[in-house]
Structure formats: structure tokens, C-alpha cells
Amino acid sequence: MGDIPDRLTAIRELIGDITPVLGAGHPDTLAAHYCLAEWLNGDGHPDDAEATFEDVIATGTEHLGPDHNLVLIARSSLTILRHDRTGADGAVIDDMTAIVAAMERTLGPAHQTAASTRRLLTQWQSTQAGSGA
């Protein structure tokens, strides 16, 4: 039996396999890059995760449009990463406010992703207000 590759190696191999077939802007390719970003962050590589999220957002915006669900989720995840690094500063709150507005406009306010992102934003705003920031 061969060794099982770690998840970062495996997802990078998958990206290498599907990108030439589907293209860089295909939703499945972008979803694989999104998973890579999440796993990089989870494995303690936030700088690499941030760069990967930024690539997903740029490529997704170019190929799918700025209001595509995958792009909005990647923007949200990038903003969460930045919040985790810097706290609920004004720029992070402003970014998430814009993301929530786009999610509610395109997905509807009752959509699970829009609703959970709005709840997170509300928590951040409450924390910021409680700290007097």
C-alpha cells in the first residue's frame, strides 16, 4: 500500500489535474482553490491562505462575476481571516457589511449563507460597540 498524501498535497494535485481540463475560472476549479485556502489557514499558513483567497476572488470575479456565490463566500472567508488577525476594526466591519449587502441582494436575506454571515457581522459590530471602538 502506498502512503496517503496529506490534504494539501492532494488538493494541489487535484487542482493541477482539473485546471487544464476545466479552466482556471470554472466553479469547480475555484472551489478546489477555495478548499486549499481554508486548509492552508487551518494548518497555520494564514499568509498563503490570504493570497489564495485573493486569487479565488480575482479569478472568480473575472470569470463568474462579483456577485457569484463562490466569490462572495471567498470574500467572506478572507474577511474572517483578516478579522482573526487584526480584530474587528472599521475596515473589516466595512468589508463584511458590503459582503452581507451583496449576499442579501443576490441570494436573498433568508438564504442560509447570507443569514449566517449577517449574524457574524452583527456579533462583530456588538463586540466593537462594547469595546468603545
Side-chain angles (χ1 to χ4, degrees), residues 1 37 40 50 55 67 73 77-78 80 128:
M1 246 191 221
L40 284 165
E50 185 170 0
D55 289 345
D67 290 336
I73 291 170
S77 294
L78 176 59
I80 292 167
Q128 186 183 42

Side-chain angles (χ1 to χ4, degrees), residues 15 55 74 79 96:
I15 290 168
D55 289 345
T79 303
M96 192 61 88

Side-chain angles (χ1 to χ4, degrees), residues 33 39 62 66 89 105 114 117 119:
H33 279 277
W39 293 347
E62 177 184 345
D89 65 20
R105 182 180 67 254
T117 307
R119 280 191 300 275

Side-chain angles (χ1 to χ4, degrees), residues 28-100:
D28 292 345
T29 306
L30 291 167
H33 279 277
Y34 175 85
C35 286
L36 174 61
E38 286 287 342
W39 293 347
L40 284 165
N41 192 42
D43 286 359
H45 306 284
D47 292 337
D48 293 335
E50 185 170 0
T52 304
F53 281 132
E54 289 171 346
D55 289 345
V56 169
I57 294 163
T59 304
T61 298
E62 177 184 345
H63 292 274
L64 305 174
D67 290 336
H68 189 278
N69 191 35
L70 193 142
V71 174
L72 294 172
I73 291 170
R75 285 178 58 200
S76 173
S77 294
L78 176 59
T79 303
I80 292 167
L81 184 151
R82 288 178 174 159
H83 171 271
D84 291 347
R85 292 174 122 185
T86 64
D89 65 20
V92 168
I93 299 278
D94 291 346
D95 287 347
M96 192 61 88
T97 299
I99 294 163
V100 168

